[in-house]
Amino acid sequence: DNLLVSKHAVSEDSDNQVAMMQLNRPKALNALSDAVLDDVLHAAHVLDKDPTVRCLILTGSAKAFAAGADISEMKTKNFEDAYGTDMFGHWQELSRLQKPLLAAVSGFCLGGGCEVAMMCDMILCSKSAKFGQPEINLGIIAGGGGTQRLTRAIGKSKSMYMHLTGEFISAEEAYNSGLVAKVFPDDELMDETLKIAKTIASKGVLSVQAAKEAVNAAEELPLQEGLRLERRLFHSLFATKDQKEGMAAFLEKRPADFS
Ligand code: CO8
């Protein structure tokens, strides 16, 4: 009940699909309870392994992508509960899917919600989106990657400002800071996100996977290691049918038909 999953054909003449996971806990602004977490991770793993699914989308409602981890579930936890169970550690699995995962954000995208959006491969949002790490107001700090991923995305000073004041930033500020890739009018976000997902789904599976792996590695590896990984992945794509097809199609002035 906490998650609605739908699949959308990429085109009329293809079996390929885009899968959409929609958080569905409207009364709590999609707060990320343990039950929501289980549903999202389970669905993401199943869809990642489904050979007809080429691209995944994670979204919320018009009012909230997600207003953070569930405060009522966290309230009574003590150190033993948190450290002893590595609380929220397994959310990281979302950042290790093979297929691209797009976050489509409207409304509040706060705390763990912002962190989950940043675990996705890119963030698309509507003009109403508000991003924030307000954990400081609860006497805690971000625990799902916020201090690390937000800092890499928008730089130290802005990230520090958000983590220390708890203030939210608008869609426009998020776009200007590089946190999000595109901003759309509210009523166009889902259509535009589906279009982008279908565009990605029409490319070669292996080249998409390699591009995702290489770009994500830029957040983790020293430059020389990242450059080497990119070059090796680049070399490996010359072993694929899609490289032959892509280059032949260009030279024959026709659209490529990737396998
Ligand atoms: N947890 C539980 N319930 C919530 C949460 C939340 N994070 N956010 C909102 N709700 C509930 C409210 O309690 C309220 O319930 P009820 O109607 O039963 O009183 C309902 O949603 C609607 O919320 P509001 O009445 O507050 O709605 P407003 O429009 O007045 O305000 C806000 C919207 C500004 C978003 C406000 O709800 C708010 O500040 N929410 C909390 C935001 C927050 O502090 N988030 C950080 C949580 S801590 C965290 O995320 C730690 C992350 C750890 C790692 C996670 C890895 C994935």
Side-chain angles (χ1 to χ4, degrees), residues 27-29 31 63 67-71 88 91 108 110 112 115 134 138 144:
K27 287 189 183 143
L29 301 181
K63 185 152 187 219
D70 190 313
I71 299 168
F88 302 130
W91 270 101
F108 296 112
L110 306 176
E115 296 174 304
L138 301 169

Side-chain angles (χ1 to χ4, degrees), residues 18-185:
V18 166
M20 171 118 55
M21 297 180 283
Q22 182 175 18
L23 299 166
N24 182 39
R25 219 191 146 203
K27 287 189 183 143
L29 301 181
N30 289 333
L32 303 166
S33 61
D34 290 340
V36 172
L37 165 70
D38 287 349
D39 289 354
V40 172
L41 289 183
H42 177 74
H45 283 306
V46 170
L47 295 168
D48 199 37
K49 289 195 165 48
D50 181 336
T52 67
V53 171
R54 296 298 185 93
C55 186
L56 281 68
I57 298 169
L58 180 62
T59 193
S61 66
K63 185 152 187 219
F65 176 77
D70 190 313
I71 299 168
S72 51
E73 278 187 359
M74 284 185 293
K75 183 173 158 267
T76 55
K77 298 233 195 256
N78 58 26
F79 172 75
E80 197 176 327
D81 300 326
Y83 184 66
T85 63
D86 191 22
M87 183 168 75
F88 302 130
H90 48 327
W91 270 101
Q92 296 297 327
E93 291 169 28
L94 261 196
S95 64
R96 290 195 280 267
L97 302 179
Q98 281 190 307
K99 291 172 187 166
L101 172 61
L102 317 185
V105 173
S106 263
F108 296 112
C109 184
L110 306 176
C114 188
E115 296 174 304
V116 165
M118 291 188 292
M119 287 174 203
C120 298
D121 295 306
M122 70 177 87
I123 305 177
L124 309 161
C125 77
S126 71
K127 288 190 171 151
S128 73
K130 290 180 193 63
F131 298 87
Q133 298 287 165
E135 289 92 338
I136 202 81
N137 297 328
L138 301 169
I140 55 169
I141 65 167
T147 61
Q148 306 303 299
R149 291 201 175 94
L150 190 63
T151 305
R152 282 167 165 79
I154 70 176
K156 173 176 162 175
S157 214
K158 284 182 182 168
S159 172
M160 190 70 86
Y161 185 89
M162 289 173 69
H163 284 281
L164 295 188
T165 66
E167 279 178 27
F168 306 160
I169 59 169
S170 65
E172 191 187 351
E173 277 178 277
Y175 177 75
N176 291 336
S177 308
L179 179 61
V180 308
K182 295 265 183 191
V183 184
F184 300 107

Side-chain angles (χ1 to χ4, degrees), residues 11 14 24 26 35 50 55 68 107 164 178 182 203 219 227 229 240-241:
S11 66
S14 152
N24 182 39
D50 181 336
C55 186
L164 295 188
K182 295 265 183 191
K203 315 290 183 198
E219 300 215 305
L227 292 172
L229 173 72
T240 65
K241 286 186 206 144

